[in-house]
Amino acid sequence: MTSDLLAPLDLAFWNMESAEHPMHLGALGVFAAHSPTAGAHAADLLAGRAAAVPGLRMRIRDVWPLGFPYAFGGAAREPDPGFDPLRHVLLHAPTADFHTEAGRLMQRPLDRDRPPWEAHVLPGEDGVSFAVLFKFHHALADGLRALTLAAAVLDPMDLPARRPRPEEPPKKLLPDVRKLPDLVRGAVSDMGRALDIGASVALSSVDVRSSAALAAEPSGTRRTAGVVVDLDDVHLVRKSRGGTVNDVLIAVVAGALRRWLDERGDGSEGVAPRALIPVSKRRPRTAHPQGNRLSGYLVRLPVDDPDPLGRLDTVRAAMDRKKDAGPNRGAGAVALLADHVPALGHRLAGPLVCQGARLWFDILVTSVPLPGIGLKLGGNPVTEVYPFAPLARGQSLAVAISTYRGQVHYGLVADAEAVPDLDRFAHALSAEVKELMVACGS
């Protein structure tokens, strides 16, 4: 294993982190236990398998290579010579509430001197279940990469064989002069794209109609919750109104926000918050290479619309427009600008960028792909998977969604002080699915 420089977006995530806003993503997997000791056995398996996964042995270190100014102020992944899996795989006391423990653990930043990941095994007090909370720093892995690393320590899966990828020629320090015209055209195109994104960001901040409930002063506390929805119910709504499953799931968030704001007394009238919908630019079969490949769509959620079908139609139309324009344009594509910032710029501006997230979007709504086959650990099957997204500075709530074996799992992360009633929002998500089904005549 050798060192490799962090990609620009990875470096941005590494430098945006603060104690109050750690930049790790997570996933809480709930397992049906074959015995009361299944959790302890799972911890032993995870520790033993982690030692054999190269990606889990990589720490992140600052680099100051004077000979390569483009990397000055950057960081690189490198093997940790003192890697000890027992520092990363931790067995906890039995608990009656997995989400209470997950919230407490999600608020703790990862140790930046070690490979930035953890696996917390939470035995259930009932003796028939246990959970594992995986935490990966966003600089180490995006959603697809995190899934690959987590799958490497679970029981082996029977996956179709992959075709070997052709080896890429080593990168040269200087470009081939024969390619200079193409490089110039690419640079001009990139400049035009950057100007377009910048203008779109400015326009997106005009007439912002959000809610104070979605904003928070950083407290450093976290609370998590999870909601399970039957995928067949989502398909019934989709077939009735058109669009995609993702359109329905985003519309459910909009309706739940309306219900939640009204119930807590904040009111939904005139509220149309900006939701950032991340878009992965990496195909699943190329998930192995390092580096985040993310763009996004910025969508106004029609929280102020009292009609559930009207909300769904508005979300579907907005997503169609964003897809037609593509993930390289618009205010949601700000992450693409990271490639045009030198490493030292990320180091110096990272804290400022984190503070400015609130000016860019109001809530994160992201989807995490999961394999269609059953996941197991020590022969114990996964029954639920709740993904957790990082919480940006100045924001009180983030929503992550995964689909697994006929069920949709909403994973919710909130600032615990700003949103003490996260369970109420979770109930609102379930109620909104039912309301959509009634509206569709199902």
Side-chain angles (χ1 to χ4, degrees):
M1 293 183 289
T2 59
S3 300
D4 67 295
L5 290 173
L6 293 188
L9 188 54
D10 296 341
L11 187 61
F13 287 136
W14 188 245
N15 287 297
M16 286 167 56
E17 183 170 64
S18 67
E20 294 79 16
H21 286 86
M23 289 303 299
H24 55 253
L25 46 86
L28 181 68
V30 180
F31 296 77
H34 292 327
S35 72
T37 60
H41 179 55
D44 291 339
L45 285 176
L46 291 173
R49 292 170 179 175
V53 180
L56 296 178
R57 304 175 66 93
M58 303 297 281
R59 64 182 179 181
I60 296 178
R61 284 288 180 269
D62 295 335
V63 294
W64 301 92
L66 298 180
F68 304 96
Y70 67 89
F72 186 78
R77 299 180 188 87
E78 65 178 21
D80 181 359
F83 176 71
D84 181 357
L86 295 180
R87 291 181 172 181
H88 300 265
V89 179
L90 305 171
L91 177 63
H92 295 260
T95 178
D97 188 339
F98 295 138
H99 278 289
T100 295
E101 291 301 308
R104 180 180 63 82
L105 294 168
M106 282 295 291
Q107 72 188 31
R108 290 180 5 191
L110 292 164
D111 189 337
R112 292 168 68 94
D113 293 327
R114 301 173 184 165
W117 69 273
E118 291 174 349
H120 296 270
V121 181
L122 309 171
E125 283 186 352
D126 55 15
V128 298
S129 65
F130 68 91
V132 178
L133 174 67
F134 288 100
K135 294 169 55 178
F136 294 97
H137 199 288
H138 222 323
L140 179 70
D142 60 8
L144 283 174
R145 177 65 175 162
L147 174 62
T148 301
L149 292 173
V153 292
L154 297 179
D155 291 355
M157 296 181 291
D158 294 328
L159 297 176
R162 294 183 178 180
R163 296 179 180 179
R165 299 196 324 273
E167 293 187 3
E168 296 183 1
K171 294 182 179 180
K172 300 179 181 180
L173 294 180
L174 296 176
D176 189 328
V177 294
R178 293 170 295 182
K179 297 181 179 180
L180 285 178
D182 290 336
L183 293 174
V184 171
R185 280 193 293 270
V188 172
S189 175
D190 287 345
M191 184 179 298
R193 180 187 304 164
L195 291 174
D196 172 83
I197 293 172
S200 298
V201 170
L203 289 174
S204 72
S205 62
V206 176
D207 190 29
V208 173
R209 293 176 291 151
S210 187
S211 169
L214 296 177
E217 291 299 321
S219 71
T221 60
R222 291 293 181 271
R223 187 184 303 273
T224 72
V227 178
V228 181
V229 173
D230 194 318
L231 184 58
D232 287 341
D233 293 344
V234 177
H235 278 301
L236 287 174
V237 175
R238 178 191 62 81
K239 291 176 181 177
S240 173
R241 302 297 291 187
T244 68
V245 166
N246 204 40
D247 294 341
V248 177
L249 298 178
I250 295 171
V252 167
V253 174
L257 284 172
R258 176 183 176 83
R259 187 183 301 265
W260 176 61
L261 291 173
D262 287 342
E263 288 180 353
R264 74 196 320 248
D266 292 324
S268 59
E269 183 177 355
V271 175
R274 300 160 299 173
L276 177 63
I277 317 293
V279 177
S280 176
K281 299 195 69 179
R282 175 188 294 163
R283 296 178 180 178
R285 287 188 175 273
T286 60
H288 178 70
Q290 305 282 4
N292 280 275
R293 299 289 185 270
L294 291 174
S295 182
Y297 301 137
L298 200 65
V299 175
R300 295 284 180 100
L301 296 181
V303 173
D304 55 349
D305 188 342
D307 178 15
L309 296 183
R311 292 193 293 268
L312 175 55
D313 291 342
T314 299
V315 167
R316 184 186 64 187
M319 289 297 290
D320 285 345
R321 289 193 300 270
K322 299 297 181 181
K323 292 172 187 175
D324 288 342
N328 295 332
R329 299 283 181 179
V334 165
L336 298 178
L337 300 182
D339 290 339
H340 305 287
V341 178
L344 187 59
H346 283 297
R347 181 176 295 275
L348 297 177
L352 296 176
V353 172
C354 183
Q355 293 180 20
R358 182 68 181 84
L359 302 176
W360 175 27
F361 64 98
D362 303 297
I363 184 172
L364 178 72
V365 183
T366 183
S367 296
V368 181
L370 291 177
I373 61 177
L375 302 172
K376 296 182 180 181
L377 178 57
N380 303 284
V382 173
T383 58
E384 304 167 35
V385 183
Y386 300 100
F388 299 134
L391 195 60
R393 183 181 180 89
Q395 296 173 344
S396 59
L397 177 65
V399 179
I401 310 168
S402 66
T403 302
Y404 177 70
R405 297 182 69 79
Q407 292 183 322
V408 176
H409 295 90
Y410 283 91
L412 312 177
V413 175
D415 184 286
E417 292 188 7
V419 187
D421 58 343
L422 185 60
D423 288 342
R424 180 180 291 180
F425 178 68
H427 293 149
L429 286 166
S430 298
E432 181 63 16
V433 173
K434 295 176 182 177
E435 184 172 355
L436 275 171
M437 291 184 65
V438 171
C440 291
S442 301

